[in-house]
Amino acid sequence: MEPVISTSELTRVFGNFTAVNRVSLEINPGEICGFLGPNGAGKSTLIRMLCGILQPTSGSATVLGYDLLHDVENIKKKIGYMSQKFSLYDDLSVFENLDFYAGIYNLSYRERKSRIEEMLEMAGISERKKELVANLSVGYKQRLALVCAIISRPAMLFLDEPTSGVSPTSRRQFFNIIQNLTNQGSTVIVTTHFMDEAERCDRIAFISNGQLIAMDSPDNLKSKFIEGCMAELELPNPMSWIDKLKVQPFVRDCSMHGALLHVLVNQESDISALQAFTSTQPIQIIPNLEDVFITLAKNKPKAGAGND
């Protein structure tokens, strides 16, 4: 199976700042690939290069079989792109926005009518098609922006933090639509900082300081980067316990998760030592992606370092 995206040492420099640093990766057809990393890690810059919006400073890539440096216009014809800013026209109705985007993609009148109805149904907004976009909630705007981006049935969809600022319910509905798209053969690349969304991706590319640190399925990332046994603790003033716990010989790491502490010990038998030290009953848990995120972020490369 040929990858739909293949990059080799893709780099983008702004002045003295390297936003994306020699990233090499492959993305397979029909998968949801999540770009995960802290703010300013280079996720959006990487997506904009792959969309043909930004030109790479160096390196090479192919997208849907087209060379990123020489066939940008062919790439743009076959992809959809949605940013967190929702490129919608507030003074137009839901239907008029869809009709406008259908026109941009040169859909025929017959195609346009049936495709708009299909998009309205997919987004669950058929009953609001005459309503001005300005009157919609953020969640409805988000779903409308998505179907505007896919009305041409692109082979690949780029989503740049599309769920920022919407409710958890709207985010789940949004990802249900994305999964339906991939079931129909589309490939989706999405940047996110929500761990529940990352869990629903087929693979995750963890990016930090412009570099690709790890890329694998959520389950493989957990098993690969979390060695030992994870326990959860509920303690008064949990922040005050972190430094005390980290120096214990049976503790590998300790971090805050909401009001709770996640403590990584060497092995299952060390949980009893953890209980004796804190006088609190720990609960053994399965590590989640947030634990992986924290582990990788702590071991992130220095800014400007290479991928050697």
Side-chain angles (χ1 to χ4, degrees), residues 5-10 23-26 46 50 60-62 68:
I5 289 180
S6 179
T7 75
S8 177
E9 299 203 339
L10 203 62
V23 169
S24 299
L25 56 76
E26 290 186 347
L46 179 54
L50 294 174
S60 61
T62 57
L68 186 61

Side-chain angles (χ1 to χ4, degrees), residues 179-196:
Q179 288 186 311
N180 286 335
L181 288 173
T182 57
N183 291 339
Q184 296 169 17
S186 295
T187 304
V188 177
I189 296 90
V190 55
T191 66
T192 182
H193 55 271
F194 295 110
M195 298 302 156
D196 59 329

Side-chain angles (χ1 to χ4, degrees), residues 104-306:
I104 286 179
Y105 289 112
N106 294 318
L107 298 183
S108 67
Y109 177 77
R110 180 176 294 179
E111 278 184 300
R112 194 179 297 193
K113 186 177 179 182
S114 62
R115 197 71 58 79
I116 288 173
E117 292 302 322
E118 180 187 341
M119 295 299 102
L120 288 168
E121 185 175 346
M122 180 182 289
I125 52 176
S126 296
E127 75 285 358
R128 294 174 176 262
K129 65 182 180 181
K130 294 182 180 180
E131 193 164 339
L132 286 181
V133 165
N135 298 330
L136 296 178
S137 68
V138 177
Y140 276 111
K141 285 182 179 180
Q142 175 208 50
R143 280 182 273 161
L144 175 59
L146 173 62
V147 292
C148 283
I150 64 172
I151 196 165
S152 66
R153 290 184 180 152
M156 181 175 297
L157 180 63
F158 291 92
L159 305 171
D160 192 6
E161 295 200 13
T163 58
S164 180
V166 301
S167 69
T169 300
S170 292
R171 289 197 287 112
R172 284 193 296 272
Q173 292 170 335
F174 186 86
F175 252 74
N176 288 339
I177 297 173
I178 291 174
Q179 288 186 311
N180 286 335
L181 288 173
T182 57
N183 291 339
Q184 296 169 17
S186 295
T187 304
V188 177
I189 296 90
V190 55
T191 66
T192 182
H193 55 271
F194 295 110
M195 298 302 156
D196 59 329
E197 291 183 353
E199 288 277 6
R200 298 181 69 172
C201 295
D202 298 303
R203 287 194 301 154
I204 298 166
F206 185 85
I207 299 166
S208 183
N209 281 326
Q211 298 183 45
L212 178 66
I213 306 303
M215 187 171 183
D216 214 326
S217 68
D219 287 343
N220 286 346
L221 286 172
K222 292 172 200 172
S223 62
K224 193 180 294 183
F225 292 100
I226 305 293
E227 296 180 1
C229 181
M230 185 73 70
E232 189 174 78
L233 276 173
E234 185 173 0
L235 291 165
N237 301 315
M239 286 290 292
S240 66
W241 280 90
I242 292 178
D243 289 339
K244 299 175 192 175
L245 286 164
K246 282 184 175 180
V247 297
Q248 299 308 308
F250 53 86
V251 173
R252 286 174 177 250
D253 202 1
C254 179
S255 58
M256 287 289 300
H257 289 253
L260 301 172
L261 287 176
H262 281 198
V263 185
L264 185 64
V265 295
N266 294 315
Q267 52 197 4
E268 191 171 347
S269 59
D270 289 327
I271 289 181
S272 57
L274 182 61
Q275 181 178 354
F277 182 74
T278 62
S279 301
T280 302
Q281 177 64 56
I283 299 172
Q284 187 174 345
I285 60 171
I286 298 171
N288 58 31
L289 271 182
E290 191 169 356
D291 295 309
V292 177
F293 182 94
I294 290 170
T295 299
L296 289 171
K298 285 179 179 176
N299 299 320
K300 67 185 178 182
K302 294 179 181 178

Side-chain angles (χ1 to χ4, degrees), residues 7-20:
T7 75
S8 177
E9 299 203 339
L10 203 62
T11 300
R12 175 68 197 203
V13 177
F14 297 95
N16 295 322
F17 176 67
T18 302
V20 174

